[in-house]
Every structure is written in structure tokens, then in C-alpha cells.
Amino acid sequence: MEKNNNRLGWLFASPYLIFSTVFFLGPLIWSLYLSFTNWDLISPTYDFVGFKNFIKALGTPGVRSAFWVTYKFMIVFVPIVTAMSLFVAVIVKGLPKFKSVFLIGFFLPYLSSGVVASLIVKGFLSHTSPVQTFLRDRLGLDIDWLGGSFSALFVVAMIMAWKFTGYYALILTSGLESIDQEVYEAAAIDGVKDSQRFWKITLPLVYPAIYTTLILSFGATFGIFTEVYQLTGGGPNYATNTWQMEIYSQAFKNLQAGYASAIAIMAAVATFVSIYVIRKILEMWGKRNGWV
Amino acid sequence: MKKKLSVMLALTLVFTILAGCGSKSSNTGTSADGVTTIEFWAAPNPTQQAYWQRIAKEYETVNPKVKINVSAIKESPTSEASIQAAIAGGSAPTMTENISRGFAAQLANSKALVPLDTIDGFNDIVTKRNMTKTIEPWEFADGHQYVLPIYSNAMLFGWRTDILKEAGVNEVPRTYSEVLDATKKLKAKYPDKYLWAKPDLADPTSWKRWFDFFMLYNAASDGNKFIEGSNFVGDEKAGVDVLTFVDNLRKEKGLLSQNVTEPFENGVGVFTDVGPWTFSTWAEKYPELQYKKNFEVTLPPVPDGMDPANAKTFADAKGIVIYASASPEQQAAAIEFIKWVYSDDKNDVAFFQETNLPPARDDVGTNEVFKPVFEKTPVLQEYAKAIPNAVPSMDNPKFNELQTFIGQEAFNKIVRGEIDPKTGWDNMKKAIEGELQ
């Protein structure tokens, strides 16, 4: 009986296992192998170069910037998207009806094309756009949004935040909905003031949902590409050069597939280590406050 | 037995999927009735695509044994990346146009191209089309010709003479001092206008340097090669002069590198690089822009003391290549097609007429057959005259990295005022030399 169950289990799991082998494990092993070669993507021959690609990558400004830019994006993007999604979730939860309609509205940017959003923003920030003309003529502000290191990073982070707010708000709303109303009533009887309700009751109880959105948002910063590619190309002066942008540039602009694979491996290591550390910090924070 | 069957079934499934993913066609491109099919990717420019579609149809009527499928190269994200992806994915076409010398060097280095001079009949094309001199600088370091250049644009700078006149500048400036003087007058009259308004000035994308840095550098250095083989041979004085000129324009608030829509056409800027392909767009979209009436084109401005009348400039030249992955039948059919196209001057005249791109021939400025084209669009004469002054791009396979360094280390930073010209040149030189090692 147990043997039959095992067989049935393997049978049901086999589509996923085959899919993962063909589309994840296979490419991963191939990429690892390529990272030790000098393959240029189109040449029929290539040589084994050992750790040369990794050593070269460590010394280039492109890879160094990709490493730091990710954390800079985190500092700007994560607080903004967390605050915005929490705000949306609290507002939507308080609505008397049509909650799901509003949530779908906020969720739509997540489904929209990053290319289209970036192009719209690009037009919006054009020197001759009505917004820029207004800022220049009425307020005397001539801002080169995509030309300044911080402003370019901020613009990309804001597009990302706009895109992800609705998605994270969905998770947070479900967290808020799971809080029993009786908890608030009991707290009120115990003398908890309205101003303390969020910090003393809502936040601790919604912490598992916040934890999920934080991990997702930290993770999202490692995958930024479309917005950066469309708006800044990684510039100015590497200020928005993300891991994905650097991998793309090396593989498809400079035709260095082997070298790009080495950067991709480094990006994967940086991502896993960073997410692991962030998870541990969040768990410690939750435990210290008695939220988990 | 059942276990063996299950294992075999699973393995068959995996290998079927893998085979489906990785199978390569063994198609030679020739059908049972002897018709060879060629895939020809034309430049992503409507006029060029229309020209090649028409020519292909004409060729099919005189040679029914060849079928030519003409389609535009996909520009997503760039035409170069589309070609690379096609080669990597085993679906490269038989031939493409729109190939620069630098990109051809990359492809040739990866053994993706057919050395055209090894194919019978190639020399006949060169002789028949009168392009012996034009094709000379296209020879690669290994002594082969991988590209048949089809057009050569000697890039020129356009000036909005109407706005300059309003600002009190009656002659088009030709030297650095004259340009700076014109900038001062322009800003005094119109503080919101710029001499050179172009977001590309601050963009490190490699090919963008052809239309700013190299145009000015070729003029300032009298056509210095910049990179020769694997050596950096840049003229430091000329390079620093160019960067200082750009820095001075910035100090006079004459540069705008923010995103802005068609600044020259809309009068936000009064100076910009202009290729001959622009004029058909202007004729449709900006008919008010009339040559000699409100705009002029000139060779690039030069440092004081140099002769502006004979300034060198960048040659935006592109050509046709044949891919090594094509079958021998397709390669032979492709070269026969090219031979047929260039055996008759009328095809080059039509190309010039329809695309405004000067054919890559030694006699484009002197051959009477091109007279009607110049009569119809007089500004093209300036481009034809400038062909001898035009320097083609480098043929180094690392052109992409090398030209990116020019922007990242020097030009873009100067435009933003982040670095001084000498430091910019030194940093760029160091980065380029490091990459060339």
C-alpha cells in the first residue's frame, strides 16, 4: 500500500520535477558551466578560463555598482512601498462596501506593462512636458529627474512602489481581515486608547503579513530591470545599474555570455545571502517584540 | 518489467522535450523543385524595407529558382541584439543589411559571417559598382571583406539659421570660438533655448558616441583612427580640445541633456547631428523646415586655427553580410542576388532616391545618373561632397565596450560637469587600454 502511494506521489510530482529539471536545474548547471568559459553567445567554440570571469567581475565598476545600487534601492523602495501598501490596506479595510473593487483597482498597476509605465513616466518628466514647464516657469525648479544620481534612483523606486503597492495591499488586507473584532473590543475595555490601537494591536497581529510583504519587497529589488532599462539604461554614472541590467549589458550588448553568467552567479549568491540575513533580522525583530 | 517501462516512458518524455527545445533544422533552404529560399532582413527603416521588398520581387521574376523573404530586423531591444539572439538560437537569416563595421567585427570574430571575398563573383560586384576605393577601408585585420557597404553617410551638423539670425548670428559658426560666441548670443536672446539639446549626450550607450564625440573628434584630429587593431592611438590634444569645447558649451548653459522630444525640430536646440535619412521624415512631419531657408548643414566645427572647410567627420556606413549558418545553396543564391542588384546603376539610383542614403560608391558625387536625386533634394549634395571626409567606425570586436567607456568615463561626465576635460580623457584612455589588453 505504502509502495503504491509512493508511486502515485512520484507520478503526480513528475510534471513539476520534469519542468524544474528542464527549465531550472538544467539552465542553472549550464550557467554555472558557462561562467568558467569565455563563450560569446554566438561563437561555435569557447575556452575554459577558470575563475578569470569572477576575478574580472569583482574589479569592475559595473558589478560594484550593481551590488550597492540594489541596497540603495532597498533603502528608498521598501519603506515607501510598505507604508503605501499598509495605508491602502487600512483604508480599504475601513470601507463599508466595494472593498474588492478598490483592491482590484490598486492591483491593476501590478499587471500593467513596466515598459508602458516607464515610457509614460519618461514623457511625464520630459523637459518640455506640462509638469516640467510648470515647475520651471512657476516655481523656478529645473530638475533633470533622470540625470541626477538620487533623483533617477528615486523615480525608478517610485514606479516600482506604484506597481507593487496594490499587490502587497492585498496580502496586508487579508492579514487585517483575519484580526478578530473582539480583540479590539477587549482592548477597548482594558483601556487601550485609539491612538495606541495600531501599534499595540493591529501591527503585532498583522506582523506575519507584513513579514511576507517585506521579504517580497526586499527580494523585488534584486530583480529590477525593465524600468531601469527603459528610463536610465543604468545611468547616470552607474547610479541605477542593477544586477539584471549589468547581466543584460554584458551578455547582450558586449556579447560576453560566459562573463555574464559569472555575474549572474554572483548576483544569485548576493541575493540568497542578503535575503537570508534580512529574514533573520526580521525574525529577531518580531521575536523581541513578542509578535511571533 | 513495469518499473523498466515506467523509467523508459519517463526518459522518452524528457528526451522528447529536450529534443523539441534543441532541435536544429537541417533545411538547406532548397525545395524538391529546386527553388532556394533566402531570408533577408532589411534595416528597420520603412523606406529601406520597401526598397528591398520591391527589388526582391523583381529578382524573383527574372530568377524563379530563388525566393527572397524580406522582413525588417526587429529592433527590440536593438537590431544587433535581435541578430545575436537569432544566431544563438539557430535561426539566423541568410543575409542582413544595416551592419556597421564594428558589429561586423564582433560577428566575424565569432565565425558567424561568410568572408565575402572568398565567394566567386564578389570582386565583380566591387568593380561593376565602382566601389574599389570605398570598400578599401572596410578590409578587416585578417585581410578579408565581411561586409559589402551599401551606403555611406558622412554625418553633418544641422543649424537652425532662423533662430540664430533672431539671436544676431548671421553666419553659421564653424570654429569653437564662433560656436561659443553664438551660444552666448543665443542665451542672451532666448534663455530657454540651447545650442545642443539632446538627451543622448548624457547616455553611455556605445553607438551614441558616433553622433557626438566621434563627429567632433574626427574633425579635431583630422581623421585620427582612435583605435588601430588592438591599440589605442587616440590623439590626446584633439580629444582634450573636444572635451574642453563641450565643457565650455556646458558652462555657457548651451547644453541640454534632459529627455526632450525632437528638440531641433521644435526649436529647443539650434545645433544637432543630422543624417540624410532625416529629410524624408522632416518632409512629412516638419514641412516648414526648408534647407537654406531655416536650416543649414555643415561639417563639424573645428578647434580655432584649423580649416573648417575640410573638416573630417564620422561615416555612418552600413552594409550587407551573409551568415555562415546559411546553407551553401543559400549563400550562393544570396551572392547572385547581390550581384544582380549592383550590376545595374538604376538600382543604386532608386535606393538613393527612396531612402536618401548615398550609395557606397566612388562616383556618387560625379556620376550623372545621380543628378536627378540631387535636383530633387539639394541638401543631399552636401552629404555626397563630404564622403571623402568621412571616417568609418572602428573594426574592433570590442567596439561596444570601448565606445561605452568614452561616454561613461569622459563625454557624459563632461556634459554633466562632473569632471574636467583632461581627467576625463585620462580616465577614458586608461579604461580603454585596460579593455584592449
Side-chain angles (χ1 to χ4, degrees):
Chain A
M1 182 64 186
E2 197 180 315
K3 206 173 178 182
N4 281 343
N5 274 347
N6 272 344
R7 276 186 193 159
L8 205 62
W10 279 105
L11 185 69
F12 281 120
S14 59
Y16 175 75
L17 290 174
I18 292 168
F19 183 86
S20 301
T21 307
V22 174
F23 295 106
F24 291 103
L25 192 63
L28 181 67
I29 294 167
W30 176 235
S31 179
L32 198 62
Y33 170 68
L34 276 187
S35 67
F36 294 105
T37 71
N38 64 354
W39 192 43
D40 69 356
L41 198 71
I42 54 178
S43 177
T45 56
Y46 46 90
D47 302 318
F48 188 79
V49 295
F51 285 94
K52 212 171 152 187
N53 287 332
F54 291 92
I55 294 162
K56 183 186 167 188
L58 285 171
T60 63
V63 171
R64 280 203 299 267
S65 66
F67 182 82
W68 290 114
V69 161
T70 307
Y71 300 113
K72 286 179 190 169
F73 264 121
M74 270 183 199
I75 293 168
V76 182
F77 167 69
V78 176
I80 293 173
V81 78
T82 307
M84 279 167 61
S85 49
L86 204 54
F87 178 74
V88 169
V90 170
I91 295 289
V92 169
K93 188 185 176 285
L95 290 172
K97 48 186 172 180
F98 303 124
K99 284 181 188 177
S100 51
V101 175
F102 281 97
L103 271 179
I104 289 168
F106 284 112
F107 185 69
L108 281 178
Y110 183 71
L111 302 175
S112 69
S113 154
V115 176
V116 174
S118 304
L119 291 176
I120 291 170
V121 170
K122 202 170 186 175
F124 202 67
L125 300 177
S126 163
H127 180 75
T128 42
S129 74
V131 179
Q132 286 282 75
T133 308
F134 174 82
L135 288 176
R136 209 168 39 244
D137 295 350
R138 298 295 172 88
L139 304 176
L141 295 171
D142 188 6
I143 305 168
D144 184 1
W145 291 97
L146 301 175
S149 300
F150 177 73
S151 56
L153 194 120
F154 181 76
V155 168
V156 175
M158 283 307 288
I159 300 174
M160 296 280 294
W162 169 77
K163 206 171 162 60
F164 282 93
T165 292
Y167 175 41
Y168 298 157
L170 264 181
I171 299 169
L172 293 172
T173 307
S174 66
L176 288 171
E177 292 287 354
S178 67
I179 302 172
D180 201 330
Q181 197 57 33
E182 285 176 8
V183 179
Y184 290 110
E185 286 165 8
I189 292 165
D190 290 343
V192 174
K193 294 173 191 166
D194 282 354
S195 57
Q196 294 176 316
R197 261 171 51 131
F198 178 77
W199 299 106
K200 299 282 183 188
I201 300 164
T202 309
L203 188 63
L205 290 175
V206 87
Y207 180 76
I210 293 177
Y211 174 85
T212 306
T213 59
L214 281 173
I215 293 293
L216 287 174
S217 57
F218 278 117
T221 54
F222 288 93
I224 299 173
F225 175 71
T226 312
E227 292 76 10
V228 161
Y229 176 76
Q230 289 293 335
L231 287 173
T232 63
N237 201 14
Y238 295 116
T240 56
N241 193 45
T242 59
W243 281 114
Q244 309 300 323
M245 191 66 216
E246 184 64 16
I247 294 165
Y248 169 82
S249 300
Q250 295 303 338
F252 301 109
K253 283 186 180 170
N254 296 346
L255 282 193
Q256 298 186 48
Y259 178 55
S261 291
I263 299 172
I265 301 291
M266 290 167 75
V269 172
T271 307
F272 289 133
V273 171
S274 302
I275 294 293
Y276 179 79
V277 171
I278 289 164
R279 264 186 56 199
K280 287 290 160 198
I281 292 170
L282 286 174
E283 279 168 14
M284 277 165 58
W285 182 46
K287 274 180 189 161
R288 185 174 292 172
N289 290 292
W291 297 339
V292 285
Chain B
M1 186 63 187
K2 269 185 184 175
K3 194 176 175 185
K4 274 183 184 172
L5 270 175
S6 306
V7 171
M8 278 180 73
L9 188 71
L11 284 174
T12 309
L13 185 66
V14 170
F15 284 115
T16 307
I17 294 168
L18 287 174
C21 293
S23 69
K24 273 189 183 175
S25 166
S26 59
N27 192 357
T28 60
T30 305
S31 65
D33 55 358
V35 175
T36 303
T37 303
I38 300 172
E39 294 297 330
F40 179 28
W41 287 2
N45 172 353
T47 54
Q48 278 167 271
Q49 200 189 341
Y51 169 82
W52 285 111
Q53 272 169 344
R54 185 175 57 73
I55 290 286
K57 284 274 165 279
E58 276 180 33
Y59 184 66
E60 283 172 4
T61 56
V62 297
N63 192 342
K65 288 286 175 193
V66 174
K67 185 176 182 324
I68 305 169
N69 294 329
V70 179
S71 55
I73 304 171
K74 286 177 187 66
E75 271 197 297
S76 177
T78 62
S79 54
E80 284 86 358
S82 294
I83 292 168
Q84 289 158 11
I87 296 169
S91 58
T94 313
M95 59 200 287
T96 56
E97 65 160 339
N98 206 39
I99 306 295
S100 71
R101 208 161 157 251
F103 185 47
Q106 265 189 337
L107 296 174
N109 203 42
S110 304
K111 312 272 180 248
L113 298 181
V114 174
L116 297 177
D117 53 308
T118 61
I119 299 177
D120 283 344
F122 178 73
N123 290 332
D124 295 343
I125 299 171
V126 175
T127 318
K128 192 94 182 163
R129 199 186 176 211
N130 204 343
M131 59 186 304
T132 318
K133 280 185 193 160
T134 307
I135 205 170
E136 254 173 41
W138 284 77
E139 189 179 291
F140 284 72
D142 64 2
H144 287 299
Q145 292 285 6
Y146 291 93
V147 190
L148 179 85
I150 55 172
Y151 65 83
S152 178
N153 299 315
M155 290 298 297
L156 299 178
F157 279 109
W159 296 89
R160 284 294 299 264
T161 45
D162 51 348
I163 300 171
L164 283 173
K165 272 180 192 154
E166 286 164 15
V169 182
N170 296 314
E171 290 290 320
V172 171
R174 306 299 299 270
T175 63
Y176 288 177
S177 299
E178 288 170 11
V179 177
L180 283 169
D181 187 48
T183 308
K184 283 175 189 166
K185 287 179 177 167
L186 176 78
K187 295 300 286 188
K189 173 82 176 171
Y190 297 115
D192 291 343
K193 291 193 187 296
Y194 297 82
L195 182 92
W196 201 354
K198 190 178 174 182
D200 292 0
L201 296 173
D203 185 332
T205 306
S206 66
W207 61 265
K208 295 187 174 179
R209 297 295 78 79
W210 290 332
F211 306 110
D212 45 45
F213 176 80
F214 275 112
M215 286 179 72
L216 294 169
Y217 175 78
N218 289 331
S221 66
D222 199 27
N224 169 274
K225 280 190 170 177
F226 198 71
I227 304 278
E228 203 162 11
S230 292
N231 296 315
F232 177 74
V233 294
D235 178 338
E236 179 169 329
K237 187 186 173 303
V240 175
D241 277 353
V242 168
L243 297 176
T244 306
F245 170 58
V246 174
D247 196 36
N248 288 336
L249 288 177
R250 177 193 63 80
K251 285 175 184 162
E252 295 297 337
K253 300 193 190 313
L255 299 180
L256 178 73
S257 60
Q258 291 182 41
N259 181 39
V260 53
T261 311
E262 296 171 341
F264 184 80
E265 291 82 345
N266 293 316
V268 176
V270 299
F271 167 81
T272 196
D273 52 290
V274 187
W277 60 82
T278 314
F279 302 114
S280 42
T281 312
W282 283 0
E284 278 180 29
K285 211 173 161 189
Y286 297 96
E288 68 279 10
L289 283 179
Q290 296 286 321
Y291 178 52
K292 296 276 184 196
K293 193 177 157 196
N294 47 16
F295 82 89
E296 276 188 35
V297 290
T298 66
L299 287 163
V302 290
D304 297 357
M306 285 185 80
D307 176 17
N310 204 28
K312 298 286 189 295
T313 188
F314 170 68
D316 174 55
K318 302 271 179 71
I320 291 178
V321 296
I322 297 176
Y323 292 93
S325 54
S327 70
E329 293 87 350
Q330 287 173 316
Q331 290 179 10
I335 204 83
E336 281 305 315
F337 170 58
I338 299 172
K339 215 156 86 173
W340 178 83
V341 173
Y342 293 116
S343 64
D344 193 338
D345 285 348
K346 83 172 171 37
N347 290 328
D348 259 336
V349 175
F351 181 81
F352 199 5
Q353 240 157 9
E354 290 169 34
T355 65
N356 281 350
L357 303 170
R361 302 170 49 131
D362 302 345
D363 61 350
V364 71
T366 53
N367 196 325
E368 286 292 307
V369 295
F370 297 113
K371 213 175 159 188
V373 186
F374 295 128
E375 280 169 1
K376 190 186 155 212
T377 318
V379 66
L380 293 178
Q381 250 166 346
E382 298 297 326
Y383 287 87
K385 269 195 277 178
I387 287 174
N389 293 35
V391 182
S393 58
M394 64 176 82
D395 68 353
N396 194 295
K398 289 185 174 177
F399 86 101
N400 205 58
E401 293 96 309
L402 302 176
Q403 290 189 192
T404 304
F405 284 135
I406 301 172
Q408 263 170 358
E409 300 296 333
F411 199 83
N412 302 154
K413 287 185 178 176
I414 297 289
V415 166
R416 292 192 190 284
E418 293 169 2
I419 203 167
D420 69 273
K422 177 73 172 71
T423 310
W425 176 267
D426 289 344
N427 291 352
M428 177 202 80
K429 185 182 170 189
K430 196 177 156 199
I432 288 175
E433 285 179 336
E435 189 63 43
L436 285 170
Q437 276 172 7

